[in-house]
Amino acid sequence: MTSLGWSAIALGTIYLVLCLVVVFQFMRLLCGRHSVMSFHSWFLLLCLLWSFPRVIFWFMPDMDDTATNFLYWFPMMIQFTTFSLFILYYVRILYKFQIDDRVHCCGFLSRDHVAAPHDALSTWVCVRQDIFAATFLLTNVVFAVLFLVWIFHLSGDSDFLSNLGTL
């Protein structure tokens, strides 16, 4: 059994504190009866999925190569998903304001008049949001599959990580 160094203990503790803060924030979100399907709750879930494997990685140094590679590289996939979620959120906010400005400026929508459900602008907005959501899901699923293939490929090559610094 390998003893933990001071740096592993410090990093593991920092990630553990981050996990506890995220769990506290998530509990506040649930107790406050906020929407579970909001961007905020998905971000907190991804933050928890990012920090918890790091806690395990730093506090359990004696694992086999596959588990070590998985715990070391899995947060990278979660980082990619989080950044793509930021992009999806930004696009949704950006197009929401553009659509609101166009609809109000063009007179399609006022307080007394609601746009028809077959309005070309509202139909295009719905289609565009569906395209963004499908692209988000497809990109992250493809990245996850490539990640898992790469991890299982790494598990067969035990010298990969040790030779990585000598290239």
Side-chain angles (χ1 to χ4, degrees):
M1 176 155 184
T2 307
S3 64
L4 295 174
W6 67 270
S7 60
I9 292 172
L11 287 170
T13 304
I14 289 170
Y15 285 118
L16 184 62
V17 168
L18 181 62
C19 279
L20 294 175
V21 168
V22 168
V23 168
F24 175 72
Q25 290 291 326
F26 201 70
M27 287 299 138
R28 282 187 55 212
L29 190 102
L30 291 177
C31 291
R33 295 191 178 118
H34 292 281
S35 174
V36 179
M37 296 302 290
S38 67
F39 282 101
H40 184 95
S41 61
W42 284 105
F43 174 75
L44 288 175
L45 179 68
L46 288 172
C47 189
L48 185 65
L49 287 175
W50 180 81
S51 59
F52 189 68
R54 294 290 186 179
V55 171
I56 295 170
F57 178 79
W58 288 111
F59 281 147
M60 299 181 119
D62 296 329
M63 292 181 285
D64 62 342
D65 288 340
T66 305
T68 302
N69 286 336
F70 182 77
L71 289 174
Y72 184 77
W73 293 107
F74 179 72
M76 298 298 178
M77 184 180 72
I78 298 300
Q79 256 180 302
F80 177 79
T81 306
T82 304
F83 289 136
S84 60
L85 185 68
F86 283 150
I87 292 169
L88 186 68
Y89 177 74
Y90 178 72
V91 165
R92 181 177 174 139
I93 296 298
L94 178 71
Y95 283 126
K96 178 182 177 186
F97 288 136
Q98 283 183 352
I99 297 306
D100 287 346
D101 290 343
R102 285 161 127 193
V103 169
H104 287 296
C105 290
C106 296
F108 290 134
L109 185 63
S110 65
R111 291 190 184 273
D112 299 333
H113 177 70
V114 177
H118 299 292
D119 186 12
L121 183 62
S122 63
T123 303
W124 174 243
V125 170
C126 293
V127 169
R128 192 174 0 194
Q129 286 179 353
D130 291 341
I131 289 172
F132 288 135
T135 304
F136 170 75
L137 289 174
L138 181 68
T139 304
N140 286 301
V141 166
V142 167
F143 188 71
V145 168
L146 290 175
F147 167 75
L148 291 175
V149 167
W150 186 57
I151 288 298
F152 287 119
H153 176 70
L154 279 181
S155 64
D157 186 10
S158 61
D159 295 331
F160 177 76
L161 289 177
S162 62
N163 293 334
L164 190 62
T166 61
L167 294 177

